[in-house]
């Protein structure tokens, strides 16, 4: 079919009903579960036969899941690539099979796989901006003389971990009150975030700021700090990203300062963009999602809609 080896992405026929693949990377946190649910909810509303898989935290399984979807003859693929490089073969294979791919919530290495050529578009947030906004909130709200920061990074090699680090670190480097004394991966997971925080707390007992690349690790860090007799929100400022229910509750309880939103509700946007693509409309290579910011000022207003 058209576009298989060319510079363009494969076309999508206009149909009443589509066979849609959604290859989820893992389901070990509320964010992922909310995203998968959003695709299931959209399947009804958008008339999809949805094939949804769960790679259980393995990039290799995620590639194999896409292979299996290609074999099952999906019309279109929605892929949140767990890591930037290992998922490139899945993008290339889908294109070779004539299946248009939309990356959702995470991206792949842009030097190798390109929007408008290998995949149609990336639907998602500006992760660099999220990191910058977390840093800016800290710069404006920290009232001590010296901020000793521990950074809990997301999954190594994933686009949000790379970009949230860059955005935050570059901004913080412009204010000499702050020093990042340790930066280590917690794989976006609560339990690992707790364990890493426990270890880093022993090496850096003077820590008074934690920047976590997502709320699950922030909650894990709060648990570790409390176990060590520290008072998150009082003697340690916690800044994070996502906007989960537990994080909004932690803000309401005074334990967390800020969480910059990163929404998991991609289903409706996926439906809309896919229909436009099938109708032959031009799709920008990055369909950017706008993010809000949750603090003491508004957390209570949003907790009911949180996940
Ligand atoms: O890709 C988005 C990130 O992935 C979310 O911030 C995180 O919670 C999730 O696992």
């Amino acid at each position: 079919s058209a576009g298989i080896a060319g510079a363009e992405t494969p076309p999508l026929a206009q149909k009443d009903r589509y066979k849609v693949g959604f290859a989820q990377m893992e389901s070990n946190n509320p964010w992922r579960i909310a995203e998968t649910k959003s695709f299931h909810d959209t399947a009804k509303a958008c008339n999809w036969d949805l094939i949804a898989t769960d790679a259980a935290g393995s990039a290799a399984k995620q590639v194999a899941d896409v292979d299996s979807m290609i074999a099952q003859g999906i019309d279109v693929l929605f892929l949140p690539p767990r890591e930037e490089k290992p998922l490139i073969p899945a993008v290339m294979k889908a294109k070779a099979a004539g299946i248009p791919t939309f990356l959702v919530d995470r991206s792949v290495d842009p030097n190798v796989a390109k929007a408008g050529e290998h995949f149609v578009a990336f639907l998602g947030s500006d992760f660099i901006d999220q990191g910058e906004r977390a840093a800016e909130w800290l710069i404006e709200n920290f009232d001590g003389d010296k901020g000793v920061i521990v950074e809990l990074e997301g999954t190594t090699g994933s686009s949000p971990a790379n970009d949230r680090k860059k955005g935050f670190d570059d901004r913080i480097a412009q204010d000499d009150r702050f020093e990042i004394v340790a930066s280590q991966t917690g794989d976006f997971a609560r339990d690992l975030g707790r364990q890493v925080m426990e270890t880093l707390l022993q090496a850096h007992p003077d820590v008074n700021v934690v920047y976590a690349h997502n709320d699950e690790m922030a909650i894990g860090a709060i648990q570790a700090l409390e176990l060590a007799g520290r008072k998150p929100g009082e003697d340690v400022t916690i800044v994070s990203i996502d906007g989960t229910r537990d994080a909004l509750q932690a803000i309401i309880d005074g334990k967390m300062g800020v969480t910059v939103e990163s929404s998991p509700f991609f289903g409706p946007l996926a439906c809309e963009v896919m229909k436009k693509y099938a109708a032959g409309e031009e799709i920008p290579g990055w369909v950017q999602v706008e993010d809000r910011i949750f603090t003491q000022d508004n957390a209570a207003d949003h907790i009911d809609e949180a996940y």
Side-chain angles (χ1 to χ4, degrees):
S1 64
I4 285 182
E8 296 192 345
T9 50
L12 182 63
Q14 281 187 294
K15 300 203 280 187
D16 285 340
R17 207 167 168 80
Y18 289 97
K19 200 173 194 180
V20 172
F22 175 61
Q24 182 58 286
M25 67 183 76
E26 58 207 2
S27 302
N28 60 341
N29 70 57
W31 198 101
R32 291 286 142 202
I33 292 165
E35 184 184 47
T36 301
K37 182 174 185 305
S38 177
F39 274 86
H40 281 290
D41 291 347
T42 301
K44 284 182 218 116
C46 203
N47 226 8
W48 293 345
D49 290 316
L50 181 67
I51 302 176
T53 51
D54 174 5
S58 156
K61 177 162 182 334
Q62 202 178 14
V63 173
D65 288 343
V66 171
D67 281 340
S68 140
M69 288 176 180
I70 294 171
Q72 292 175 73
I74 52 169
D75 297 307
V76 56
L77 172 65
F78 290 100
L79 176 65
R82 188 171 196 274
E83 292 138 59
E84 283 196 300
K85 290 185 203 297
L87 268 299
I88 286 174
V91 173
M92 299 304 186
K93 282 193 225 175
K95 176 172 177 177
I99 299 163
T101 296
F102 295 86
L103 301 182
V104 287
D105 94 67
R106 290 188 191 176
S107 199
V108 291
D109 183 347
N111 297 314
V112 186
K114 300 199 185 310
E117 182 179 346
H118 302 108
F119 59 93
V120 180
F122 164 56
L123 319 183
S125 294
D126 184 337
F127 296 132
I128 294 181
D129 184 64
Q130 290 175 343
E132 277 171 4
R133 289 166 76 193
E136 266 150 28
W137 184 91
L138 182 64
I139 287 166
E140 277 162 32
N141 291 278
F142 184 76
D143 56 14
D145 299 330
K146 178 109 192 82
V148 179
I149 304 174
V150 159
E151 178 168 352
L152 297 175
E153 301 172 15
T155 296
T156 304
S158 72
S159 62
N162 292 340
D163 292 352
R164 286 172 184 169
K165 179 167 183 59
K166 184 176 177 11
F168 182 88
D169 290 12
D170 288 355
R171 188 71 189 81
I172 279 298
Q174 296 166 19
D175 187 325
D176 55 20
R177 284 182 301 160
F178 295 101
E179 187 188 353
I180 301 170
V181 293
S183 185
Q184 204 171 305
T185 184
D187 203 21
F188 281 129
R190 181 181 296 210
D191 205 50
L192 198 58
R194 182 183 55 73
Q195 289 173 41
V196 170
M197 190 68 223
E198 271 173 16
T199 308
L200 292 179
L201 201 49
Q202 292 182 3
H204 306 281
D206 55 341
V207 57
N208 58 5
V209 178
V210 174
Y211 166 48
H213 290 188
N214 81 344
D215 286 344
E216 282 293 280
M217 294 189 295
I219 298 291
I222 287 174
Q223 292 170 346
L225 287 161
E226 286 181 333
L227 256 165
R230 304 294 301 271
K231 295 212 166 4
E234 289 177 37
D235 58 15
V236 188
T237 304
I238 315 285
V239 300
S240 176
I241 297 171
D242 271 352
T244 65
R245 179 179 296 271
D246 286 354
L248 296 189
Q249 190 60 54
I251 291 173
I252 293 166
D253 295 343
K255 296 181 179 181
M256 196 186 283
V258 66
T259 185
V260 179
E261 184 183 34
S262 196
S263 170
F265 299 115
F266 280 97
L269 182 63
C271 171
E272 182 192 317
V273 172
M274 186 189 99
K275 280 184 179 162
K276 285 186 180 162
Y277 185 66
E281 278 183 45
E282 186 89 30
I283 308 295
W286 180 5
V287 179
Q288 201 178 318
V289 174
E290 297 299 329
D291 298 309
R292 297 170 291 183
I293 187 159
F294 300 120
T295 63
Q296 205 43 269
D297 292 342
N298 64 352
D301 300 335
H302 294 287
I303 193 154
D304 288 342
E305 80 218 26
Y307 49 94

